[in-house]
Amino acid sequence: MSHTLTVQWTIEPQTAPRPWLACSRCGGQRPFVCSGKARLNANGRRLDAWLIYRCAVCEDTWNRPIFERRTVTSVAPDALAALQSNDPAWIRQVAFDIEGLRQCTDRIEDLADSNVERRVLSGTVDSARLEIVVVAHHASSLRVDRLLSVELALSRARLTKLETAGRITLLPESRKALQRPIRDGSRIVLDLTAEDDRAEIAQRARGGP
Ligand SMILES: [Zn+2]
């Protein structure tokens, strides 16, 4: 039996975080949905850029500032080109910038629906130890327990039991590992020695047939 199955999970969130804002048209706090479109506006010699959101209820627009009153030369050329062409990859990067969004509102809904792409780095499914290397290009509020329960089909109760037994570790070392949001570069280590279905768990971790 080889020692450790090491897999890399690349986590790609599907839905951009939704800021909750007061909607002036339909009234009250509403979630706003990213439209996937940006707008660049020249005001004299100054440029403004926004990412456009729509109220989930009435579709009224909210313009999230990307930058304001900037001279052409102070804007990074790739950002300028991306804005001029409405480049989807660049816009996606801004839409998923949850830290940037926090400057506009305290209330952000992160739907935590993610695709997980799996890749085996080393080891086989009969390993007693599972190590998951997390690759996450966007900050997310997706928690370790939710990720593991969905992707490994383990109940929250079972995960809590494993953690209490000291069989789940988050590296860099962190207390209350299960409650932490996932971070790029972190490693989740599971000791499956005592689990009868460890081969099934390992199979789900590595994916494929
Ligand atoms: Zn509205």
Side-chain angles (χ1 to χ4, degrees):
M1 186 188 285
S2 65
H3 232 66
T4 302
L5 170 65
T6 307
V7 293
Q8 178 180 287
W9 282 6
T10 303
I11 293 157
E12 203 52 62
Q14 298 302 292
T15 308
R18 307 200 302 186
W20 279 67
L21 302 157
C23 179
S24 53
R25 189 197 280 174
C26 69
Q29 292 282 321
R30 304 282 186 236
F32 277 70
V33 181
C34 182
S35 71
K37 291 199 168 59
R39 212 169 82 205
L40 183 66
N41 194 38
N43 197 325
R45 300 175 75 98
R46 302 277 169 168
L47 293 175
D48 296 309
W50 304 277
L51 187 57
I52 299 162
Y53 287 73
R54 292 196 180 279
C55 169
V57 177
C58 75
E59 300 212 320
D60 198 20
T61 51
W62 171 61
N63 293 335
R64 171 183 167 191
I66 300 173
F67 55 74
E68 292 173 296
R69 300 273 175 269
R70 296 266 290 271
T71 58
V72 176
T73 48
S74 73
V75 180
D78 59 334
L80 203 54
L83 281 161
Q84 282 164 338
S85 64
N86 254 308
D87 176 43
W90 191 86
I91 287 172
R92 186 178 158 84
Q93 199 70 36
V94 178
F96 280 89
D97 172 20
I98 201 164
E99 297 308 324
L101 205 48
R102 279 192 225 286
Q103 293 168 10
C104 305
T105 175
D106 290 334
R107 187 170 172 196
I108 297 168
E109 186 183 341
D110 191 356
L111 298 175
D113 54 335
S114 296
N115 265 358
V116 176
E117 196 186 293
R118 295 155 159 81
R119 192 157 75 88
V120 176
L121 298 180
S122 62
T124 58
V125 292
D126 58 3
S127 308
R129 194 166 167 275
L130 171 62
E131 184 166 335
I132 300 162
V133 180
V134 174
V135 177
H137 300 300
H138 305 288
S140 164
S141 58
L142 175 63
R143 287 174 19 160
V144 169
D145 54 358
R146 169 153 173 100
L147 176 72
L148 293 181
S149 71
V150 171
E151 301 302 330
L152 296 180
L154 297 174
S155 69
R156 300 283 179 108
R158 190 161 171 204
L159 287 169
T160 304
K161 222 172 126 186
L162 280 164
E163 189 188 31
T164 308
R167 293 182 185 274
I168 295 183
T169 322
L170 184 66
L171 302 171
E173 200 100 35
S174 169
R175 290 174 41 135
K176 296 190 174 170
L178 288 176
Q179 293 169 29
R180 300 279 165 196
I182 54 148
R183 287 284 173 261
D184 187 45
S186 60
R187 287 166 177 255
I188 307 163
V189 183
L190 290 97
D191 177 354
L192 302 175
T193 316
E195 311 306 309
D196 292 335
D197 57 346
R198 62 174 168 267
E200 285 87 347
I201 296 170
Q203 188 62 55
R204 286 192 286 269
R206 60 168 287 193

